[in-house]
Amino acid sequence: MNPELITIGSCTLDCMLQVKDILRFELFDKEIVKKYTAIEYSRKLNVDGVLFVPGGSAANIASNCAMLGLKSAYLGILGNDFSASICLDDMKKRGVDLSSVIQTDDDCTAFSVILKTEWGKDRSILAYKGANNMLKPEDVKADIFQNIKAFAWTSLTTESGCRAIEKALTLTLENGGKVFAAPSMSIIKNNPKWAKILISNSNVVSLNKEEAQEFTGETNLVHMIHTFLDLGIKLISITDGPNGSIISDGKHIMNSSIYEGPVEDTTGAGDAFLSGLLISHLNEFSLEKSSKMATAMSYLESKEIGVREGLPNSLRELEDFVDNNEIKQKASQIV
């Protein structure tokens, strides 16, 4: 049976390194503070812990939504290596349809090194897209989009990869589905032409404040929202870490705080947020409930080390969490 959700973008093996013997410094540029993690030149550093976990935004979204009961498929290219085996086994375990996955000997599976330091939950990431970026439009087959409800894309940056996303986007809209965009800084900075094309043709866009600022050139959240709405976006969400999130449907704005509790690892939190937003949008939940569901997914994912951990195994389980836990919300009209 054809999937209800198809995702295209990164499927990555993440190598998480816990590092204490590392430098940190900040640079001030007018009102902007930039924080840096640094390694002293020509020095060997000790690593305190190593953990391999399957990740990648598109693979995360497919896995998260499959766990919530949506028939989900990942479409992409991986290598023939141990990384692919770990990634595919995990997605299969979570119920993701892998029939559209292509494996190749021409490149290795995408790989990321995540540096976790003792200064907080934020992390620096070294990412190699590998085989992910080999995707071509001809790899996107029209027949699997017949029962499509949602298509979610995350950043590929090559010309062929962007054209593959564009083809999938078009097929989704032609079959009455909704397009969800989770553009990363990678495509926004490295391929702004395609970032604007793909975002402009999406129904829902979710990204963090830094990504939204880079794309819009604005510093005010409301001004950022107006920029996206002017492109024709129907629903826009902008997350801001511990400061919560802002969501707008073009008429209303919902500001939400985060759920209080321990946070172990924020890797994949943005993907979990979009997953909750996607499920909510398909179920036609209110803006208030949608924000709660997305925030809950992000929080539950952050409670444990690694991506896809700590997440609910059903929509009912997620709704129960939202019903029994509170966050602060403020609604307003958009002007």
Side-chain angles (χ1 to χ4, degrees), residues 121 258-264 299 302-303 321 325-327:
K121 306 308 176 184
I258 61 173
Y259 287 96
E260 296 296 330
V263 173
E264 287 295 330
Y299 167 68
S302 300
K303 286 179 66 178
F321 177 87
N325 294 272
E326 294 185 358
I327 56 173

Side-chain angles (χ1 to χ4, degrees), residues 3 15 41 62 77 105 129 169 186 190 221 259 275 285 288 291 331:
C15 176
Y41 179 71
I77 301 182
D105 292 319
K129 290 188 176 294
L169 185 155
S186 177
N190 299 322
L221 282 171
Y259 287 96
S275 301
F285 293 156
E288 176 186 2
S291 181

Side-chain angles (χ1 to χ4, degrees), residues 31-43:
E31 297 180 357
I32 300 174
V33 179
K34 295 184 178 181
K35 300 179 181 181
Y36 292 85
T37 299
I39 298 172
E40 187 176 346
Y41 179 71
S42 191
R43 184 180 175 195

Side-chain angles (χ1 to χ4, degrees), residues 42-60:
S42 191
R43 184 180 175 195
K44 182 178 180 179
L45 304 182
N46 292 321
V47 173
D48 298 294
V50 178
L51 181 65
F52 288 93
V53 293
S57 292
N60 290 341

